[in-house]
């Protein structure tokens, strides 16, 4: 089994390739060729274990991501990867950077298929490490000219802009209000831990693509009912409907409020595979809600494994044990 640490993963892959890998995973999903199991959470007195898994038979691998969240300690991620033809456990990877890349890439794929072709300006809510890869992916997927950055802390948004201004081609502008971030933006992306909506859906302009990426707990919410009512006239997509029913705080609460129905929600794989359009008109408001799915981790993990083997990167770990066919 090959072990890859964070620094090795960072050296092996970047956002452009990750964006295409996640895109291909969603295409496979749309063709019914990417079995996926939504995240499950096990709560213990001092913390929690989260597990998600999926497979890409066409690529030849399946795997799982597991991570712990402990208040005061932090989050620790790993990905395990198996060969789907031989059942061999081929890799163990640290997955903090991997997770940031794939979460950003999912939003980039949503923008690629659902944003207007003439989109030049985006609004980004959030200034943490996950917001960085959201920005990178959006700028990789769309030739944005300007991104307006808003978070509740003026200091944090200024630091975010300073840290990221040389990493993307778009001009980064820190703004002082949610309204400033939304108005004039063709894409509005949120990556926060908010429990209440972070902007007023009435401020959205025709043709906006909304990408809420931070609300993957049923207790969290970034988008208000008005946004859903307006997006319901266009297209609403998510990465996995079964998972969204468990943990998308935005969708669960919007459905409960009658702002949208589950029948109006499609999976992004249907769009990526060409079975339906991402938008029907330049003026419609549409939305892609990402919770994160195991097939994303498998797609990136498989490519990392192949690159690492080709380049002689990583550490081989002996795995003892036998596999016997049942007779």
């Amino acid at each position: 089994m090959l072990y890859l640490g964070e620094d090795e993963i960072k050296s092996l892959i970047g956002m452009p390739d990750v964006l295409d890998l996640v895109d291909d995973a969603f295409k496979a999903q749309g063709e019914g060729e990417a079995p996926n199991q939504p995240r499950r959470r096990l709560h213990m007195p001092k913390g929690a274990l989260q597990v998600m898994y999926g497979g890409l038979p066409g690529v030849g691998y399946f795997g799982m991501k597991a991570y712990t969240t402990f208040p005061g300690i932090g989050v620790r991620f790993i990905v395990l990867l198996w060969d789907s033809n031989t059942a061999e456990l081929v890799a163990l990877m640290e997955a903090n950077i991997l997770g940031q890349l794939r979460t950003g890439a999912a939003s980039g794929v949503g923008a690629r298929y659902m944003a207007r072709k003439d989109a030049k300006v985006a609004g980004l809510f959030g200034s943490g490490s996950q917001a960085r890869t959201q920005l990178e992916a959006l700028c990789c997927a769309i030739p944005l000219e300007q991104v307006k950055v808003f978070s509740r802390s003026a200091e944090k948004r200024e630091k975010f802009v300073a840290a990221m201004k040389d990493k993307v081609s778009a001009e980064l502008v820190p703004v002082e209000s949610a309204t400033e971030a939304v108005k004039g933006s063709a894409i509005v992306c949120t990556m926060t831990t908010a429990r209440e909506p972070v902007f007023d859906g009435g401020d959205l302009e025709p043709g906006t693509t909304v990408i809420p990426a931070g609300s993957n707990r049923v207790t969290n919410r970034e988008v208000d009912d008005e946004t859903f009512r307006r997006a319901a006239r266009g297209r609403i997509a998510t990465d996995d409907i079964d998972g969204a029913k468990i943990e998308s705080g935005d969708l669960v609460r919007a459905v409960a409020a009658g702002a949208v129905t589950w029948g109006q929600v499609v999976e992004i794989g249907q769009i990526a595979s060409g079975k339906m359009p991402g938008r029907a008109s330049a003026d419609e408001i549409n939305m892609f809600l990402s919770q994160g799915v195991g097939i994303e981790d498998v797609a990136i993990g498989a490519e990392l494994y192949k690159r690492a083997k080709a380049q002689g990167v990583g550490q081989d770990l002996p795995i003892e044990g036998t596999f016997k066919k049942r007779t």
Side-chain angles (χ1 to χ4, degrees), residues 284-324:
E284 77 173 32
I285 291 172
N286 59 19
M287 189 185 309
F288 171 58
L289 301 101
S290 170
Q291 283 79 56
V293 288
I295 57 173
E296 299 167 345
D297 300 299
V298 173
I300 302 166
E303 182 64 20
L304 284 167
Y305 172 69
K306 288 184 282 188
R307 291 186 182 190
K309 293 293 286 186
Q311 297 177 32
V313 174
Q315 178 182 354
D316 285 319
L317 300 179
I319 299 294
E320 296 184 359
T322 58
F323 177 80
K324 296 180 180 180

Side-chain angles (χ1 to χ4, degrees), residues 63-82:
M64 63 176 286
K65 178 163 77 175
Y67 62 100
T68 56
T69 51
F70 275 60
I73 296 177
V75 186
R76 294 169 177 163
F77 300 87
I78 62 165
V79 164
L80 290 168
L81 186 71
W82 286 266

Side-chain angles (χ1 to χ4, degrees), residues 178-196:
T179 298
E180 288 181 85
V182 171
K183 287 192 172 181
S185 294
I187 301 170
V188 173
C189 177
T190 60
M191 176 50 79
T192 75
T193 57
R195 289 177 176 257
E196 297 297 334

Side-chain angles (χ1 to χ4, degrees), residues 19 27 62 117 153 183 250 277:
L19 189 71
K27 285 186 174 76
F62 62 95
K117 298 304 179 185
S153 166
K183 287 192 172 181
D250 283 312

Side-chain angles (χ1 to χ4, degrees), residues 27 54 63 77 238 246 272 276:
K27 285 186 174 76
F77 300 87
T238 189
I246 298 169
M276 61 177 61

Side-chain angles (χ1 to χ4, degrees), residues 11-23:
S11 72
L12 287 168
I13 205 162
M15 184 56 76
D17 290 335
V18 173
L19 189 71
D20 289 339
L21 289 165
V22 171
D23 193 337

Side-chain angles (χ1 to χ4, degrees), residues 89-264:
L89 176 60
V90 296
L92 164 64
M93 306 175 188
E94 293 186 28
N96 182 33
I97 292 170
L98 189 159
Q100 292 176 23
L101 287 168
R102 63 82 135 142
T103 302
S107 295
V109 172
R112 174 180 280 176
Y113 289 110
M114 301 182 73
R116 296 199 321 258
K117 298 304 179 185
D118 62 349
K120 300 297 182 186
V121 180
L124 175 64
F125 287 73
S127 56
S129 58
Q130 289 280 8
R132 295 187 178 198
T133 49
Q134 295 292 310
L135 174 64
E136 288 184 67
L138 291 176
C139 290
C140 186
I142 302 289
L144 294 171
E145 295 177 357
Q146 183 184 85
V147 179
K148 295 175 287 183
V149 179
F150 176 72
S151 70
R152 292 176 296 177
S153 166
E155 180 183 2
K156 287 182 179 180
R157 60 180 179 255
E158 293 284 353
K159 285 184 176 180
F160 180 90
V161 168
M164 297 301 295
K165 65 180 181 180
D166 295 329
K167 298 184 182 298
V168 296
S169 58
E171 175 193 19
L172 303 185
V173 180
V175 296
E176 297 182 357
S177 70
T179 298
E180 288 181 85
V182 171
K183 287 192 172 181
S185 294
I187 301 170
V188 173
C189 177
T190 60
M191 176 50 79
T192 75
T193 57
R195 289 177 176 257
E196 297 297 334
V198 297
F199 65 87
D200 184 344
D203 288 335
L204 293 168
E205 297 185 1
T208 303
T209 295
V210 182
I211 305 178
S215 177
N216 66 357
R217 289 179 178 271
V218 76
T219 54
N220 290 13
R221 193 176 194 190
E222 297 180 299
V223 178
D224 64 8
D225 290 341
E226 178 61 14
T227 298
F228 276 97
R229 281 190 285 266
R230 298 183 72 185
R233 304 182 195 117
R235 176 78 71 209
I236 298 176
T238 189
D239 47 14
D240 182 87
I241 291 177
D242 289 339
K245 289 179 178 180
I246 298 169
E247 63 181 14
S248 174
D250 283 312
L251 269 167
V252 169
R253 290 162 73 176
V255 169
V260 67
T261 67
W262 286 112
Q264 293 172 289

